[in-house]
């Protein structure tokens, strides 16, 4: 089984887990949460985003097959059985005696072969729609019919049949144990018992009833020393059978099914992702969707998206996660998001960044519908809590991080910036923000800029958006909407609340003047 269920050809180069987007978007936390529910290591896969639409669509098709209950149950049963068999194969190499090692390896490899036969038959019955699982089925069939596999199967069947024919009898006299194939010895013992106890017992079958008070000898690595010595004697009685067993172990002790471990790991990745997304969807009453991938320049949108990490934290709680929409039309490059603090702006851009990155992994993303282009990079610049001992100034640090971002950004990049240049004056922050956006739009990049600087929305290819409050109050609604221009809705609500609008002040001044004249 040389094929991969995850990659077409050579896997892409892994992104460093220390990249800023994994911290800023809480992706490291999300990947760790999925890993916790998986019995094999899969975290490295999350740092290898795909680079072609074809590769992403191949993964999405496998997820669609696993969304069918029969498909999920089939693969879940297989990976569980595969893990148990892998543990048996590993343990076989650590058994106490060479005979036990060979016998346990024989049993485990036979079990593994039967699992692959059952999986092939089950896939044929299931009729997967994805090219990935269809290819797996074809590769399994090719492996099972290969001459080398048939040779192994014949040897396992022959050897298992021979071992079943091994029969022996024990004659125990004090500390001495005799091993023999002579059935007469056992018959004589029964005759002796009948002669001795027949006159005083009405039911001789009681002699052969197991005695619960006799404890089983403690095993050492699966065998007691008595058992090991019995097997040594069996070598003399059945030399040909044990010679075959030794030959089998020598020939197949390092045997592995080509690609078997890789396929099991990759299936575990799919199943772990599906368990994670379905659990969050169920507990939060939210949706996940496999996004439609489009070429750059087509309209892009997410309907009812949400921050995945926030949904994980809120799962099962009474506080509902508020979904939001994302739209980026042709000739639009950056959304300029303004609004009150703690109004959901950072959560909103995390939602967008997570969606683009997870889409590049071929995963379901938060939302009811989604159409996105395949991002080459998801680049972030979030405000950091800097250490007091930092030698460079905060502004210089911002510029250095932006310089590194410029080295990577291209037209397929998604750039997410949160409160840039907060350490400088408003005038300087506005000028620097304009320079940043002008440079990124010249690179044909797309993204979101969270800022209090409303004037940035007036630049070409910018879209003003506003974090909303509940009408007539200062309570955050956690909804982000497009607006004709970034208006100080929250500031206006505060002025109204505390009677600090121009009209309110003029009214109070007029009232005070009238009072003085009176």
């Amino acid at each position: 089984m040389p094929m991969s269920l995850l990659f077409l050809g050579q896997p892409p180069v892994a992104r460093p887990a220390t990249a800023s987007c994994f911290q800023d978007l809480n992706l490291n936390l999300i990947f760790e949460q999925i890993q916790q529910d998986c019995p094999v290591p899969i975290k490295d896969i999350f740092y290898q985003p795909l680079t072609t639409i074809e590769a992403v669509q191949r993964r999405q098709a496998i997820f669609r097959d696993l969304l069918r209950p029969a498909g999920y149950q089939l693969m879940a049963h297989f990976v569980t059985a595969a893990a148990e068999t892998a543990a048996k194969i590993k343990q076989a190499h650590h058994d106490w005696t060479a005979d036990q090692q060979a016998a346990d390896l024989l049993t485990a490899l036979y079990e593994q072969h039967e699992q692959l036969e059952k999986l092939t038959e089950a896939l044929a019955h299931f009729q997967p729609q994805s090219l990935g699982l269809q290819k797996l089925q074809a590769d399994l069939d090719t492996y099972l019919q290969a001459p080398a596999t048939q040779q192994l199967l014949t040897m396992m069947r022959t050897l298992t049949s021979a071992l079943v024919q091994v029969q022996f009898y024990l004659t125990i006299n004090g500390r001495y144990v005799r091993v023999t194939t002579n059935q007469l010895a056992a018959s004589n013992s029964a005759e002796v018992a009948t002669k001795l106890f027949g006159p005083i017992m009405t039911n001789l079958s009681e002699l052969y009833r197991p005695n619960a008070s006799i404890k089983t000898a403690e095993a050492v690595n699966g065998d007691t020393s008595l058992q090991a010595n019995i097997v040594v004697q069996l070598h003399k009685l059945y030399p040909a059978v044990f010679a075959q067993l030794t030959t089998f172990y020598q020939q197949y002790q390092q045997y592995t099914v080509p690609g078997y471990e890789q396929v099991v790991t990759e299936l575990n990745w799919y199943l772990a992702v599906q368990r994670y997304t379905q659990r969050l969807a169920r507990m939060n009453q939210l949706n996940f969707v496999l996004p439609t991938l489009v070429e750059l320049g087509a309209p892009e949108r997410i309907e009812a998206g949400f921050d995945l990490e926030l949904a994980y934290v809120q799962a099962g709680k009474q506080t509902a996660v508020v979904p939001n929409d994302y739209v980026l039309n042709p000739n639009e490059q950056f959304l300029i998001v303004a609004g009150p603090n703690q109004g959901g702006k950072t959560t909103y851009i995390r939602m967008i960044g997570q969606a683009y990155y997870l889409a590049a992994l071929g995963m379901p993303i938060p939302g009811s519908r989604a159409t996105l282009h395949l991002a080459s990079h998801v680049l972030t610049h979030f405000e950091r809590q800097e250490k007091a001992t930092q030698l460079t100034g905060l502004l210089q640090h911002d510029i250095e991080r932006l310089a590194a971002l410029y080295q990577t950004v291209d037209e397929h990049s998604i750039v997410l910036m949160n409160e840039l240049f907060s350490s400088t004056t408003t005038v300087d922050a506005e000028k620097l923000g304009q320079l940043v956006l002008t440079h990124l739009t010249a690179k044909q990049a797309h993204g979101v800029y969270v800022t209090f600087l409303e004037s940035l929305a007036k630049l070409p290819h910018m879209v003003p958006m506003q974090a909303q409050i509940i009408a007539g109050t200062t309570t955050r609604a956690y909804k982000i909407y497009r607006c004709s221009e970034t208006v100080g809705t929250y500031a206006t609500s505060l002025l109204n609340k505390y009677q600090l609008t121009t009209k309110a002040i003029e009214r109070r001044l007029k009232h005070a003047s009238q009072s003085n004249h009176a």
Side-chain angles (χ1 to χ4, degrees):
M1 294 184 293
M3 59 86 64
S4 170
L5 294 173
L6 288 176
F7 305 108
L8 289 175
Q10 191 70 17
V13 177
R15 306 285 170 86
T18 55
S20 61
C21 72
F22 298 120
Q23 176 183 340
D24 293 337
L25 303 178
N26 289 331
L27 288 169
N28 282 333
L29 294 176
I30 293 168
F31 301 156
E32 181 61 36
Q33 291 155 9
I34 299 174
Q35 175 65 80
Q36 288 173 1
D37 189 35
C38 186
V40 300
I42 58 171
K43 277 181 65 176
D44 289 349
I45 297 170
F46 293 110
Y47 298 97
Q48 295 176 283
L50 302 173
T51 57
T52 68
I53 292 179
E54 181 187 4
V56 172
Q57 291 173 338
R58 188 183 180 95
R59 281 194 193 178
Q60 290 182 339
I62 293 176
F63 273 116
R64 289 190 183 95
D65 272 338
L66 296 180
L67 284 171
R68 298 159 59 187
Y72 180 88
Q73 292 169 8
L74 166 62
M75 292 307 173
H77 176 76
F78 170 69
V79 298
T80 300
E84 294 172 354
T85 303
K88 292 177 182 178
I89 293 174
K90 182 178 181 180
Q91 179 57 42
H93 298 300
H94 298 284
D95 285 332
W96 188 28
T97 67
D99 293 320
Q100 191 64 50
Q101 289 176 351
D104 285 349
L105 181 64
L106 171 64
T107 301
L109 289 182
Y110 209 161
E111 186 178 284
Q112 184 182 69
H113 184 89
E114 290 177 337
Q115 289 169 5
L116 294 178
E117 287 182 328
K118 290 178 181 178
L119 177 60
T120 306
E121 293 173 3
L123 282 169
H125 178 74
F126 174 65
Q127 295 182 340
Q129 302 302 304
S130 64
L131 292 177
L133 292 187
Q134 288 175 4
K135 183 68 165 55
L136 173 62
Q137 179 186 346
D139 285 350
L140 280 170
D141 190 62
T142 300
Y143 164 77
L144 292 172
Q145 299 304 320
T149 307
Q150 289 297 308
Q151 179 183 350
L152 169 62
L153 179 60
T154 299
M155 181 176 289
M156 291 191 297
R157 285 174 174 170
T158 302
L159 189 49
T160 300
S161 178
L163 288 171
V164 169
Q165 301 302 317
V166 172
Q167 296 184 7
F168 62 94
Y169 301 90
L170 301 179
T171 302
I172 302 176
N173 183 11
R175 297 177 59 189
Y176 296 96
V177 179
R178 182 183 179 187
V179 183
T180 178
T181 60
N182 187 357
Q183 188 173 357
L184 182 61
S187 301
N188 288 340
S189 65
E191 292 174 6
V192 171
T194 301
K195 290 179 181 179
L196 287 175
F197 300 104
I200 60 174
M201 296 184 67
T202 57
N203 185 4
L204 289 176
S205 63
E206 290 294 312
L207 285 172
Y208 309 106
R209 180 173 57 83
N211 189 336
S213 65
I214 299 177
K215 297 181 179 180
T216 303
E218 182 179 354
V220 180
N221 286 337
D223 284 330
T224 64
S225 58
L226 173 60
Q227 291 169 332
N229 285 321
I230 290 172
V231 172
V232 170
Q233 297 304 312
L234 289 176
H235 270 266
K236 301 174 183 178
L237 300 175
Y238 297 94
V241 173
F242 283 91
Q244 291 177 42
L245 186 61
T246 300
T247 300
F248 173 82
Y249 185 78
Q250 291 172 346
Q251 186 171 348
Y252 290 104
Q253 60 180 316
Q254 301 299 329
Y255 181 79
T256 57
V257 178
Y260 177 83
E261 185 176 349
Q262 175 183 330
V263 166
V264 171
T265 297
E266 292 177 348
L267 283 174
N268 269 294
W269 181 82
Y270 282 103
L271 296 171
V273 168
Q274 186 155 322
R275 284 193 299 271
Y276 180 80
T277 55
Q278 290 190 339
R279 184 178 72 88
L280 292 186
R282 183 177 63 254
M283 296 186 72
N284 292 287
Q285 300 298 305
L286 296 167
N287 295 310
F288 284 82
V289 64
L290 290 166
T292 300
L293 294 183
V294 295
E295 296 295 339
L296 195 63
E300 301 187 36
R301 68 184 302 110
I302 301 170
E303 295 181 11
F306 54 91
D307 178 349
L308 195 51
E309 165 62 14
L310 178 62
Y312 181 86
V313 173
Q314 294 297 114
K317 296 182 180 180
Q318 292 183 348
T319 305
V321 175
V322 179
N324 271 289
D325 295 340
Y326 162 77
V327 176
L328 195 67
N329 294 314
N331 203 40
E332 297 175 348
Q333 287 185 252
F334 277 85
L335 307 181
I336 308 299
V337 182
N341 291 336
Q342 306 300 318
K345 303 188 300 295
T346 300
T347 297
Y348 183 70
I349 61 173
R350 282 198 177 115
M351 174 197 89
I352 296 169
Q354 290 169 8
Y356 275 101
Y357 189 85
L358 299 181
L361 291 173
M363 288 174 52
I365 69 170
S368 57
R369 294 178 60 186
T371 303
L372 303 172
H373 81 272
L374 180 59
S376 57
H377 299 89
V378 178
L379 304 171
T380 60
H381 189 304
F382 281 33
E383 187 177 26
R384 300 242 190 264
Q385 294 295 327
E386 306 298 341
K387 295 181 180 179
T389 56
Q390 186 175 336
L391 298 179
T392 59
L394 297 181
L395 178 58
Q396 180 180 341
H397 187 57
D398 276 342
I399 293 173
E400 289 172 351
R401 290 175 60 197
L402 285 169
L405 186 150
Y406 290 159
Q407 297 298 318
T408 304
V409 70
D410 60 25
E411 63 178 348
H412 290 90
S413 297
I414 292 295
V415 182
L416 307 169
M417 297 173 288
N418 191 14
E419 302 289 2
L420 292 185
F421 312 122
S422 59
S423 63
T424 189
T425 65
T426 300
V427 173
D428 288 340
E430 187 173 25
K431 290 180 180 179
L432 291 169
Q434 290 175 355
L435 287 173
V436 169
L437 288 171
T438 300
H439 184 87
L440 292 175
T441 52
K443 288 269 194 174
Q444 300 300 311
H446 300 76
V448 186
Y449 192 158
V450 171
T451 180
F452 64 92
L453 300 170
E454 301 175 358
S455 62
L456 297 180
K458 298 177 182 179
L459 295 172
H461 310 295
M462 303 295 120
V463 180
M465 299 192 72
Q466 185 76 24
Q468 302 298 302
I469 57 173
I470 298 175
T473 73
T474 58
T475 303
R476 279 72 167 166
Y478 304 112
K479 300 291 286 186
I480 313 294
Y481 291 138
R482 288 183 171 224
C483 52
S484 57
E485 59 181 12
T486 52
V487 293
T489 307
Y490 180 62
T492 301
S493 68
L494 287 176
L495 293 174
N496 286 327
K497 179 179 179 179
Y498 294 104
Q499 298 293 305
L500 294 174
T501 63
T502 302
K503 290 183 178 180
I505 293 173
E506 289 176 346
R507 187 169 56 251
R508 286 202 304 273
L509 289 173
K510 182 178 180 180
H511 179 74
S513 177
Q514 291 174 349
S515 298
N516 290 334
H517 287 304

